[in-house]
């Protein structure tokens, strides 16, 4: 009941709220609103972004909306089997690569020198610290993602290729990643960079690149 194999046939309400720039304090997204993700949106300063079951977040096509949960911050996106959380395109005719995707960064070890690394995907944070991941905490907790759908992500960049639907970088064992569906992504569906994350019940459907990719000692 939480999966969807024909997402192009579903129409969502017009956005009532905009997410942009930096989220530096604890913030909750509610089901009664529809959100537009504009540009590179960073959750920083150890803030927690909570999302209610059934909430819809539309990735903006024009600015290639992308959500980045920086190391130390958390994403609590706990949908329900009958009420999943949905990230999808804001275009009426949706296509793979309409928007960016989701990056979840933690401080679990990688096999990079010093156990730490930094994303280099052309993202534009106010501070490069917002792109760092990896560390010495294999049990690193970056939050919860359950019953979440990510549709039509994977924006193309000239220098770095296509984004993945969900990138997990330096994510540790205490983070819960369950029942996630990535569909019609122009890049990889799931990209895991280092860490000790446990993945449970993932669905990759119609990815134009790899379904799952593991690097940096994942």
């Amino acid at each position: 009941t939480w999966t969807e194999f024909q997402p192009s046939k579903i129409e969502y309400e017009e956005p009532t709220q905009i997410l942009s720039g930096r989220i530096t304090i604890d913030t909750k997204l509610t089901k009664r609103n529809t959100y537009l993700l504009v540009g590179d949106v960073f959750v920083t300063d150890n803030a927690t972004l909570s999302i209610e079951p059934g909430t819809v977040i539309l990735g903006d096509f024009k600015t290639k909306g992308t959500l980045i949960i920086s190391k130390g911050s958390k994403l609590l996106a706990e949908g329900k089997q009958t009420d999943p959380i949905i990230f999808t395109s804001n275009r009426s005719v949706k296509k793979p690569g309409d928007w960016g995707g989701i990056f979840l960064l933690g401080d679990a070890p990688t096999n990079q020198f010093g156990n730490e690394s930094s994303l280099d995907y052309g993202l534009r944070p106010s501070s490069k610290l917002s792109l760092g991941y990896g560390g010495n905490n294999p049990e690193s907790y970056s939050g919860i993602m359950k019953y979440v759908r990510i549709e039509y992500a994977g924006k193309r960049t000239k220098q770095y290729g296509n984004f993945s639907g969900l990138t997990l970088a330096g994510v540790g064992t205490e983070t819960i990643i369950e029942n996630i569906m990535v569909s019609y992504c122009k890049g990889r569906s799931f990209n895991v960079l280092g860490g000790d994350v446990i993945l449970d019940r993932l669905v990759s459907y119609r990815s134009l690149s790899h379904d799952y990719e593991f690097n940096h000692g994942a």
Side-chain angles (χ1 to χ4, degrees):
T1 54
W2 65 277
T3 56
E4 178 54 63
F5 293 90
Q6 295 181 310
S8 63
K9 295 186 176 181
I10 299 179
E11 293 185 6
Y12 298 102
E13 295 181 4
E14 290 294 313
T16 56
Q17 300 283 337
I18 290 177
L19 299 173
S20 63
R22 293 171 61 210
I23 297 173
T24 58
I25 59 173
D26 292 351
T27 301
K28 185 172 185 177
L29 309 186
T30 60
K31 180 180 177 178
R32 66 175 178 269
N33 289 306
T34 300
Y35 296 87
L36 183 66
L37 189 67
V38 177
D40 298 339
V41 178
F42 286 84
V43 181
T44 63
D45 297 272
N46 298 318
T48 296
L49 178 64
S50 304
I51 307 177
E52 282 187 350
T55 303
V56 175
I57 298 98
L58 305 176
D60 182 50
F61 170 70
K62 185 176 180 180
T63 62
K64 301 298 183 188
T66 302
L67 179 63
I68 305 99
I69 311 298
S70 297
K71 184 165 70 173
S73 296
K74 296 173 182 62
L75 175 63
L76 301 181
E78 192 167 0
K80 297 180 179 178
Q81 186 170 352
T82 55
D83 213 9
I85 293 166
I86 299 163
F87 290 84
T88 191
S89 166
N90 71 329
R91 289 216 289 178
S92 55
V93 179
K94 299 173 176 57
K95 293 182 179 180
D98 275 354
W99 61 289
I102 301 173
F103 292 82
L104 190 61
L105 314 182
D107 61 352
T110 75
N111 66 0
Q112 301 299 289
F113 180 76
N115 267 347
E116 297 186 12
S117 192
S118 180
L119 290 175
D120 194 8
Y121 288 84
L123 296 164
R124 298 179 178 177
S126 58
S127 167
K128 287 191 175 181
L129 292 175
S130 300
L131 295 177
Y133 68 91
N136 299 302
N137 181 15
E139 298 179 348
S140 173
Y141 176 66
S142 299
I144 301 172
M145 293 184 72
K146 290 178 74 172
Y147 295 110
V148 176
R149 294 207 309 263
I150 302 169
E151 304 165 350
Y152 300 104
K155 82 167 186 177
R156 176 172 172 74
T157 65
K158 290 183 180 179
Q159 208 170 348
Y160 307 100
N162 293 93
F163 282 16
S164 302
L166 177 61
T167 298
L168 303 168
V171 174
T173 55
E174 292 299 310
T175 305
I176 297 173
I177 307 291
E178 298 179 0
N179 296 91
I180 311 295
M181 180 176 189
V182 178
S183 61
Y184 295 95
C185 184
K186 199 167 186 178
R188 295 155 294 213
S189 288
F190 297 92
N191 184 24
V192 184
L193 304 173
D196 291 274
V197 66
I198 298 170
L199 307 174
D200 195 6
R201 293 185 293 273
L202 309 186
V203 179
S204 172
Y205 184 66
R206 296 287 181 95
S207 168
L208 299 188
S209 182
H210 301 142
D211 294 302
Y212 304 90
E213 189 166 308
F214 302 89
N215 286 300
H216 298 342

